């Protein structure tokens, strides 16, 4: 049985003052069976660590450099994230792919760099609205996964997470229906089954895209949905905790 995971993605939000209450409320409010993590902006990793260490809630980052060190101004390496005891790091979030030029190749390199540093990458995949309407959702998601499989191999996914986030559902209030999400999750798991039954059956597949307290339980009740990647609702303790409780 796969343990559910709920990961918050704060994106470009927060301040030392605002985070304090949110981290404390999450720490105090998380109970039960699911793993919970928050992926915060880099400057707040130390704060997240101080607030959450010793609790069941883990923390992580939203991106990582594909480079280990050197002349790469502005980048943050996997080992730097490991220095702050990060557990997870998002790679290939659609906002990175569309606004910052993270190609499938770059995402594959970041995934590998995260694992070299001992972090658990959360590989984000998903189609745009135009791609869904063109009927190529499966193709797009498979292509995004193939790039990482080709670079790291299937066994790398024994210590990774995959998040399916349809771009049209991110921050739009338009969630994939449980059936739509389950269909893509099943397709993703089937792709891994081709290479390794064992990896496929243990792999946690998160759904992301306008997950809210009122739709989380139905989504997480699908057989291949193992939790969620939560953007907007992770910024409000009450909403995030309700989603964690649903998992
Ligand atoms: P959302 O974002 O929950 O605000 O739609 C999800 C994400 O981008 O990870």
């Amino acid at each position: 049985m796969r343990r559910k995971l709920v990961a918050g993605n704060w994106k470009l939000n927060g301040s030392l003052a605002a985070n304090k209450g949110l981290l404390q409320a999450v720490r105090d409010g998380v109970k039960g069976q699911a793993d919970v993590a928050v992926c915060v902006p880099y400057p707040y990793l130390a704060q997240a660590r101080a607030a959450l260490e010793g609790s069941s809630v883990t923390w992580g980052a939203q991106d990582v450099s594909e480079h280990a060190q050197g002349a790469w101004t502005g980048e943050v390496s996997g080992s730097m994230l490991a220095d702050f005891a990060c557990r997870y790091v998002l790679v290939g979030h659609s906002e990175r792919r569309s606004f910052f030029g993270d190609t499938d190749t770059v995402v594959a390199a970041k995934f590998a760099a995260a694992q070299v540093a001992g972090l658990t990458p959360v590989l984000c995949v998903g189609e745009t609205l135009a791609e869904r309407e063109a009927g190529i959702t499966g193709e797009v998601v498979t292509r995004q996964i193939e790039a990482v499989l080709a670079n790291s191999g299937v066994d790398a996914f024994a210590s990774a997470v995959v998040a399916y986030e349809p771009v049209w559902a991110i921050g739009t209030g338009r969630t994939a229906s449980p059936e739509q999400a389950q269909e893509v999750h099943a397709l993703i798991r089937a792709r891994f089954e081709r290479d390794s039954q064992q990896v496929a059956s243990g792999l946690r597949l998160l759904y992301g895209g306008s997950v809210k307290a009122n739709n989380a339980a139905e989504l997480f009740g699908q057989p291949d949905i193992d939790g969620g990647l939560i953007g907007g609702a992770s910024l409000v303790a009450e909403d995030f905790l309700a989603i964690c409780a649903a998992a």
Side-chain angles (χ1 to χ4, degrees), residues 9 11 93 95 165 169-172 208-212 229-233:
N9 172 13
K11 308 192 182 191
H93 189 281
E95 287 150 20
E165 296 204 306
I170 295 177
T172 59
S210 299
V211 177
K212 305 290 175 207
L229 182 55
I230 318 300

Side-chain angles (χ1 to χ4, degrees), residues 91-178:
V91 298
H93 189 281
S94 74
E95 287 150 20
R96 301 301 316 173
R97 291 180 189 264
S98 59
F99 304 133
F100 299 95
D102 284 14
T103 61
D104 289 340
T105 310
V106 168
V107 172
K110 289 183 172 188
F111 181 101
Q115 288 198 324
V116 165
L119 308 167
T120 300
V122 179
L123 171 65
C124 304
V125 300
E127 82 290 1
T128 64
L129 185 59
E131 289 164 339
R132 173 160 286 264
E133 285 172 347
I136 56 169
T137 296
E139 230 170 277
V140 169
V141 167
T142 305
R143 188 203 73 222
Q144 291 168 334
I145 289 169
E146 291 302 343
V148 180
L149 276 173
N151 193 51
S152 291
V154 71
D155 290 337
F157 283 86
S159 46
V161 175
V162 174
Y164 168 58
E165 296 204 306
V167 179
W168 48 270
I170 295 177
T172 59
R174 190 178 159 194
T175 323
S177 70

Side-chain angles (χ1 to χ4, degrees), residues 16 20 24 34 47 68-69 81 84 97 110 118-121 123 143-144 162 173 188 195 197 206 218 234:
L16 281 177
K20 196 165 184 256
Q24 192 60 46
Q47 186 188 21
Q69 61 169 51
L81 299 181
F84 287 88
R97 291 180 189 264
K110 289 183 172 188
L119 308 167
T120 300
L123 171 65
R143 188 203 73 222
Q144 291 168 334
V162 174
I188 293 171
D195 287 355
Q197 272 293 334
L206 311 185
E218 216 192 336
S234 73

Side-chain angles (χ1 to χ4, degrees), residues 38-42 45 59-64 81 86 88-90:
V38 288
C39 295
V40 305
Y42 296 135
L45 285 171
W59 55 94
Q62 300 166 19
D63 192 23
V64 63
L81 299 181
C86 287
Y88 299 100
V89 60
L90 310 183

